C-alpha cells in the first residue's frame, strides 16, 4: 500500500472513529472482519440514527430557505405547518433550558428554531405580509420567554415536550393537505423534505432502542409516514411544480421590465 492509500485509510479511520464507532469496534469490523459483532452493531446503528436526527433538525431548513430566496416566492409553503414546526422545536428547547441541560445537548434545536423563524418571516414577506410576520415573531419571542421562565409550571413544559410529536404530525398534515388541494408543491424543497424524512426515520429507531414499541415510537412512525406522504407528493407533482415555477419567474421578469 503506497503513501497516498495509507493517508486515505487514515482519514477514513479518523472519520469513522469520530462519528460512528469506538476504536474497538473499528478493529472488530476492519481488522478481524467480524461484521456481526452485536454490541458494535448497536453502537453503529445508534450513532447513525443520531446523525440522521441531527441532519433532519439542523440542515433540513437550509435548502428550503435557499429555494425561497432564489425563486423570490413562497408559493406552496403552508404557513400553519411552519408555525406548528416552530412550536414543536420551541417546546423541546424550552424543556432542555428549564432542566438546565448543557447547551451542547440541545443547541441544534436552537439553531433549527432560528432557521424556521427566518423561513416563517420569508413566507410572510413574499405573501406581502412583512409587517404581520415581524409582529408575529416579536410575539413569539415573548411566548418563548414566558415558556422558559419560572412563570410557566415545569409540568406544563414537560407535557408539551412529551407530546410535541403531535405538533409535528399536525404540521405535516396541513402541508400535505395544502399540496393535495392545489395539486402542486410550489417552492417546497425536495431536498428539505427528504432530509426531514431521514430525520424521522432516525427518531423511530432511536425511540425503539430507548422505549421499545411504545406509544412514543408509534407516534414517531406516524410522523415519518406523514413525511413520506409529502415526499411522494413532491415526486407526483414535480413536473407541474416546475412549470408553475417557470411561469412565476416569467411573470416577475415581465413586471421588472
Amino acid at each position: 500500500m503506497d503513501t497516498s492509500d495509507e493517508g486515505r485509510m487514515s482519514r477514513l479511520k479518523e472519520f469513522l472513529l469520530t462519528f460512528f464507532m469506538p476504536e474497538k469496534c473499528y478493529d472488530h469490523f476492519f481488522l478481524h472482519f467480524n461484521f456481526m459483532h452485536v454490541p458494535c452493531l448497536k453502537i453503529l446503528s445508534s450513532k447513525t440514527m443520531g446523525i440522521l436526527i441531527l441532519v433532519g433538525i439542523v440542515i433540513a431548513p437550509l435548502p428550503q430557505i435557499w429555494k425561497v430566496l432564489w425563486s423570490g416566492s413562497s408559493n406552496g409553503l403552508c404557513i400553519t405547518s411552519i408555525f406548528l414546526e416552530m412550536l414543536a422545536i420551541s417546546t423541546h428547547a424550552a424543556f432542555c433550558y428549564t432542566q438546565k441541560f448543557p447547551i451542547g445537548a440541545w443547541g441544534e434545536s436552537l439553531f433549527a428554531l432560528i432557521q424556521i423563524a427566518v423561513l416563517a418571516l420569508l413566507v410572510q414577506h413574499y405573501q406581502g405580509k412583512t409587517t404581520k410576520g415581524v409582529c408575529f415573531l416579536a410575539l413569539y419571542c415573548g411566548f418563548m420567554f414566558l415558556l422558559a421562565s419560572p412563570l410557566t409550571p415545569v409540568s406544563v413544559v414537560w407535557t408539551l415536550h412529551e407530546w410535541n410529536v403531535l405538533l409535528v404530525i399536525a404540521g405535516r398534515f396541513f402541508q400535505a393537505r395544502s399540496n393535495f388541494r392545489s395539486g402542486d408543491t410550489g417552492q417546497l424543497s425536495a431536498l428539505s423534505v427528504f432530509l426531514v424524512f431521514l430525520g424521522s426515520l432516525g427518531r423511530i429507531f432511536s425511540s425503539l432502542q430507548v422505549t421499545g414499541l411504545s406509544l412514543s415510537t408509534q407516534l414517531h412512525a406516524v410522523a415519518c409516514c406523514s413525511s413520506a406522504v409529502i415526499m411522494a407528493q413532491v415526486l407526483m407533482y414535480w413536473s407541474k411544480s416546475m412549470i408553475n415555477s417557470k411561469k412565476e419567474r416569467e411573470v416577475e421578469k415581465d413586471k421588472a421590465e
Side-chain angles (χ1 to χ4, degrees):
M1 185 180 292
D2 59 28
T3 305
S4 60
D5 289 336
E6 289 179 357
R8 282 194 292 269
M9 289 301 296
S10 177
R11 288 192 292 272
L12 175 61
K13 180 179 179 180
E14 183 180 352
F15 173 76
L16 292 173
L17 295 183
T18 301
F19 296 104
F20 291 99
M21 65 188 71
E23 189 159 4
K24 64 178 182 179
C25 291
Y26 180 90
D27 293 342
H28 276 295
F29 290 149
F30 298 101
L31 296 183
H32 308 302
F33 301 106
N34 182 13
F35 296 111
M36 302 307 293
H37 190 269
V38 176
C40 287
L41 285 175
K42 287 183 177 179
I43 292 173
L44 178 61
S45 63
S46 177
K47 294 278 190 179
T48 303
M49 293 307 110
I51 289 174
L52 288 179
I53 293 171
L54 189 65
V55 166
I57 293 175
V58 177
I59 301 177
L62 292 176
Q64 186 61 75
I65 291 173
W66 178 85
K67 187 169 184 180
V68 170
L69 288 172
W70 178 77
S71 64
S73 169
S74 61
N75 178 46
L77 274 73
C78 177
I79 193 65
T80 304
S81 175
I82 295 172
F83 288 161
L84 288 170
E85 187 80 20
M86 280 180 65
L87 186 57
I89 299 174
S90 298
T91 56
H92 175 71
F95 172 78
C96 292
Y97 177 79
T98 55
Q99 295 299 308
K100 296 181 170 56
F101 291 165
I103 187 67
W106 58 279
E108 73 279 358
S109 295
L110 185 61
F111 182 60
L113 183 58
I114 293 171
Q115 293 179 80
I116 298 295
V118 169
L119 180 60
L121 183 60
L122 286 174
V123 171
Q124 296 280 66
H125 170 69
Y126 287 117
Q127 289 179 352
K129 303 174 183 177
T130 306
T131 304
K132 183 178 178 181
V134 172
C135 291
F136 171 80
L137 288 183
L139 289 172
Y140 199 82
C141 288
F143 166 76
M144 279 299 298
F145 176 80
L146 181 63
L147 189 63
S149 72
L151 296 174
T152 304
V154 176
S155 59
V156 173
V157 179
W158 181 278
T159 302
L160 288 172
H161 173 259
E162 283 291 301
W163 295 99
N164 69 354
V165 67
L166 293 177
L167 296 172
V168 173
I169 294 170
R172 291 172 190 173
F173 166 78
F174 279 110
Q175 182 63 63
R177 187 183 68 167
S178 174
N179 296 339
F180 178 76
R181 284 183 170 180
S182 62
D184 178 17
T185 55
Q187 300 305 325
L188 201 62
S189 168
L191 180 56
S192 286
V193 171
F194 178 66
L195 292 175
V196 169
F197 174 71
L198 288 182
S200 298
L201 279 179
R203 286 193 179 278
I204 292 175
F205 288 106
S206 177
S207 184
L208 273 172
Q209 288 184 341
V210 176
T211 65
L213 197 59
S214 63
L215 177 60
S216 175
T217 303
Q218 294 173 44
L219 288 174
H220 284 301
V222 173
C224 185
C225 290
S226 303
S227 295
V229 168
I230 296 174
M231 191 163 60
Q233 289 177 323
V234 170
L235 296 175
M236 284 173 54
Y237 302 140
W238 184 275
S239 58
K240 185 176 179 180
S241 297
M242 294 294 289
I243 293 171
N244 289 343
S245 295
K246 185 177 179 181
K247 287 180 179 178
E248 283 184 14
R249 287 195 295 270
E250 289 176 352
V251 170
E252 291 297 325
K253 186 177 179 181
D254 291 341
K255 287 182 179 179
E257 292 176 352

